[in-house]
Amino acid sequence: MIAKIEVNKRYFREAYRSGKHGWEAKPSPYVLRCLDRLRGELPGAALLDVGCGEGRHAIAAARRGFRVTGADFEPLALRRARAAARAAGAAVRLVKADALALPFRAKSFDIVLDFGCLHHQRKADWPAYRRSVLGALRPGGFFILSAFSPRFRFFKGTGRSWHIAYGAYRRCFTKKDLCALFADDLRFLALREGTDGLWHALLRYK
Ligand SMILES: C[S@@+](CC[C@H](N)C(=O)[O-])C[C@H]1O[C@@H](n2cnc3c(N)ncnc32)[C@H](O)[C@@H]1O
């Protein structure tokens, strides 16, 4: 049997190869607003983009003066991110890594950003995700998160919190899920359910 994470990886490999992955090429307006806010508070801060994909947010962050590392387990996405960063003249360090076992020095980032990576992790892996991602964030640091809510089209009206298509696993979160996962360690500064069916959250490590 192929491990579930391998099936997920295959999906992403094919999604990047075909270009038919369905997520935007432009950075999310919510992420840009957070970056603009944090740039004033923490100029030049070290930022980690977990599941950075082709680098749209990592590049936007580098352009705003952050010292950016992007991590993803998909090599093709990282190659694309590298080429895009070069073309944009943006300094981004790109690292092949699993979000569940990030290889970075403990507490070495001021900001962690996750747009669309957490919601591909199985519920059984949420504790590993939290340990890994929060392990990289320093106390007082910020966590910018966008993840599926039950309003996203894959889940709406199904009564299910998970969705599998073409081998990709997706999971939506209720507010209660997000609080159970993060509220012990992080304070929610903002949490909004967008019309796009995503939660957009800004949290701060206590
Ligand atoms: C929906 S895409 C979003 C990409 C990027 N954050 C963006 O906003 O364009 C999710 C990304 O997370 C990556 N990913 C999913 N699970 C991962 C894991 N366990 N470790 C590292 N990367 C992962 C995928 O390869 C993919 O690039």
Side-chain angles (χ1 to χ4, degrees):
M1 198 178 102
I2 305 168
K4 286 167 184 152
I5 189 167
E6 287 305 325
V7 180
N8 236 8
K9 275 187 184 169
R10 271 194 199 174
Y11 161 77
F12 283 112
R13 193 169 311 140
E14 181 51 25
Y16 285 118
R17 196 198 58 73
S18 68
K20 292 185 192 148
H21 53 51
W23 48 94
E24 301 268 336
K26 282 193 197 156
S28 133
Y30 179 75
V31 170
L32 295 185
R33 276 201 302 280
C34 288
L35 295 177
D36 286 335
R37 169 179 166 177
L38 295 178
R39 160 163 68 169
E41 216 161 311
L42 298 170
L47 180 147
L48 170 64
D49 183 0
V50 185
C52 65
E54 291 160 310
R56 59 179 171 149
H57 297 121
I59 292 168
R63 280 184 166 150
R64 284 164 174 73
F66 293 107
R67 289 173 290 122
V68 181
T69 301
D72 203 290
F73 64 13
E74 173 40 50
L76 177 56
L78 291 171
R79 283 204 293 282
R80 297 248 175 89
R82 200 162 283 126
R86 200 174 301 125
V92 178
R93 175 171 71 130
L94 290 154
V95 177
K96 181 173 177 296
D98 187 339
L100 305 180
L102 291 168
F104 305 113
R105 198 158 43 80
K107 313 289 173 211
S108 52
F109 291 94
D110 304 297
I111 303 168
V112 174
L113 160 65
D114 176 337
F115 191 104
C117 180
L118 169 61
H119 62 212
H120 288 289
Q121 314 311 316
R122 295 189 179 250
K123 193 168 184 183
D125 290 327
W126 292 357
Y129 173 94
R130 184 181 53 210
R131 260 195 314 279
S132 168
V133 167
L134 297 188
L137 185 62
R138 70 156 168 83
F142 293 87
F143 181 40
I144 305 168
L145 174 70
S146 291
F148 290 138
S149 90
R151 277 205 218 159
F152 196 82
R153 61 190 163 86
F154 294 141
F155 313 98
K156 205 171 175 175
T158 66
R160 278 199 319 257
S161 55
W162 54 270
H163 178 270
I164 299 178
Y166 305 106
Y169 176 85
R170 303 174 181 94
R171 178 105 202 176
C172 68
F173 294 80
T174 61
K175 199 180 225 180
K176 207 169 147 194
D177 291 330
L178 291 176
C179 290
L181 190 51
F182 295 119
D184 281 353
D185 304 300
L186 301 162
R187 200 155 44 85
F188 283 80
L189 303 180
L191 177 63
R192 190 172 59 79
E193 192 175 13
T195 50
D196 53 3
L198 293 168
W199 290 109
H200 298 291
L202 178 64
L203 304 97
R204 187 159 198 186
Y205 211 158
K206 289 176 185 168

